Amino acid sequence: MSTTTAPQITVPDGARLALATHNPGKLAELRAILTRLVPGLDPESIISAATLGAPEPVEDGLTFAENALIKARALAEATGLPSVADDSGLCVDVLGGAPGIFSARWCGHHGDDQANLDLLLNQVADVADPHRTARFNCAAVLVVPGAEEPTVIERSMEGRLLTAPLGDGGFGYDPIFVPVQEDEPGAAGRTTSQMSAEEKNAISHRGQAFRDLAPVLAELLAR
């Protein structure tokens, strides 16, 4: 696991919690969850690595939890604040759990959603529907400076893969992923790309992990 640490950075007055992300959607989601649980909490007291201009550490862990821990520890050391990070990805059964921790760079370089999606579709093109099972996994980690142990929560969203994309929402592999809830009687069989952000967050791996971490964060911030 990486031992690289982030440099010290300037933290704005009033900041109480840092989120290791450059994704504004993740920040908005965590703020919404916590402001419902902690009366009087100022959502602006929860800041992101992007807002702080914090560099991203090398994620060289072998599991989602290890990579999330690398990010949370680096941000906590850089800011002196309790810090939250998550790491997530798609695990396809017929591929032995791949792309897994390499989901964001499955095509060979980081962040090209379309290339990642195209490669995965080609790899499972001849797989019959009953064997196209997959899940999104997420590990969410809280590191509190001075605390002996981090808090680690892991959650998943089960589903199956389509043979072609549907929907224009979400990101990553969302256009080909149908959650098991959408296969229940009376459901529409939508991909997570066809859902609203609220619908997706209600069942998603990341939404579950953040909600289960929220009571720990609420107790911390209520002190």
Side-chain angles (χ1 to χ4, degrees):
M1 184 183 298
S2 173
T3 57
T4 302
T5 58
Q8 283 296 131
I9 55 180
T10 301
V11 176
D13 293 340
R16 302 181 63 194
L17 180 72
L19 179 63
T21 186
H22 287 71
N23 183 330
K26 287 187 184 181
L27 178 62
E29 179 182 347
L30 187 61
R31 281 174 168 172
I33 291 171
L34 289 180
T35 51
R36 288 195 295 268
L37 289 173
V38 184
L41 177 66
D42 179 3
E44 297 300 318
S45 68
I46 306 169
I47 57 177
S48 70
T51 302
L52 294 165
E56 297 184 71
V58 176
E59 298 174 38
D60 55 3
L62 300 180
T63 66
F64 295 116
E66 287 179 0
N67 282 329
L69 187 56
I70 288 169
K71 292 185 282 190
R73 279 179 169 159
L75 191 59
E77 182 167 347
T79 62
L81 293 173
S83 296
V84 174
D86 81 278
D87 195 59
S88 58
L90 179 68
C91 300
V92 181
D93 289 327
V94 75
L95 296 180
I101 61 171
F102 304 109
S103 293
R105 52 188 185 274
W106 191 233
C107 66
H109 51 275
H110 193 278
D112 190 336
D113 284 358
Q114 189 61 54
N116 290 331
L117 185 63
D118 290 343
L119 176 57
L120 182 64
L121 282 175
N122 286 333
Q123 289 171 324
V124 299
D126 297 326
V127 177
D129 284 345
H131 306 296
R132 298 177 71 90
T133 52
R135 68 202 47 79
F136 278 112
N137 287 339
C138 174
V141 171
L142 167 66
V143 170
V144 179
E148 291 186 3
E149 296 293 335
T151 301
V152 180
I153 293 176
E154 298 187 73
R155 296 293 181 264
S156 64
M157 174 173 57
E158 299 285 336
R160 61 181 173 86
L161 303 180
L162 299 182
T163 57
L166 285 177
D168 54 10
F171 59 92
Y173 302 97
D174 281 343
I176 61 170
F177 186 84
V178 177
V180 291
Q181 292 89 340
E182 287 294 304
D183 281 333
E184 295 175 354
R190 297 172 299 172
T191 67
T192 44
S193 190
Q194 293 175 296
M195 297 178 175
S196 68
E198 292 76 15
E199 290 175 311
K200 177 185 169 183
N201 290 340
I203 62 172
S204 76
H205 50 308
R206 185 177 296 109
Q208 293 178 60
F210 276 172
R211 283 192 296 274
D212 289 349
L213 185 60
V216 179
L217 296 173
E219 181 180 357
L220 179 70
L221 296 175
R223 294 173 186 169

